[in-house]
Every structure is written in C-alpha cells, then in structure tokens.
Amino acid sequence: MTLYESNFVRLGWLVDDLRKVKTQRVSTVTADCDLYLMPLELCRYTSVFRLTYEFDFEASRSATRI
C-alpha cells in the first residue's frame, strides 16, 4: 500500500486533481523531454493512466513507458 500511496502523491505533483483528467495531458519542462499522461480507464474508485515520454525519431514517434 505504501507504493500506491507514494505513486498517488507523485502524480499529484503533476496534476492537481486526477479525477478531472479526461484527455491526454503534457508536462513540459525546459531542457527535458515532455511527459505525457493519458487516462486509459476511469472508474469511480480507481483509474488507470499511461505515463510516458515520447521521442521523435526520423518523423516517427516512439514511446518509452516509465
């Protein structure tokens, strides 16, 4: 349970209210890769998100999951 709680706290640093995330969000920081947050499954008590960096390689997009 400690791992779940620490992940929830860290996600809170990126998004104020995860319940309001209905579409993809992007965190942009100067001199670093963009971080993408995509809701995959939104339920009343639990939600599933994909959190990833995306890199452009010769006009094709590649995602690395973290």
Side-chain angles (χ1 to χ4, degrees):
M1 292 306 287
T2 303
L3 178 60
Y4 296 127
E5 177 66 20
S6 65
N7 286 339
F8 181 76
V9 169
R10 286 178 173 85
L11 279 173
W13 295 342
L14 296 173
V15 179
D16 291 333
D17 189 355
L18 286 171
R19 293 172 292 188
K20 293 182 180 178
V21 177
K22 304 293 186 211
T23 61
Q24 177 175 286
R25 300 272 183 100
V26 180
S27 174
T28 303
V29 179
T30 305
D32 206 347
C33 298
D34 292 345
L35 183 61
Y36 293 82
L37 176 70
M38 172 64 82
L40 300 178
E41 184 178 330
L42 302 173
C43 300
R44 185 173 181 173
Y45 297 107
T46 60
S47 297
V48 177
F49 295 93
R50 179 174 63 119
L51 187 62
T52 185
Y53 292 105
E54 294 184 3
F55 304 96
D56 288 324
F57 293 107
E58 297 177 13
S60 67
R61 184 163 268 184
S62 174
T64 302
R65 292 187 178 164
I66 57 172

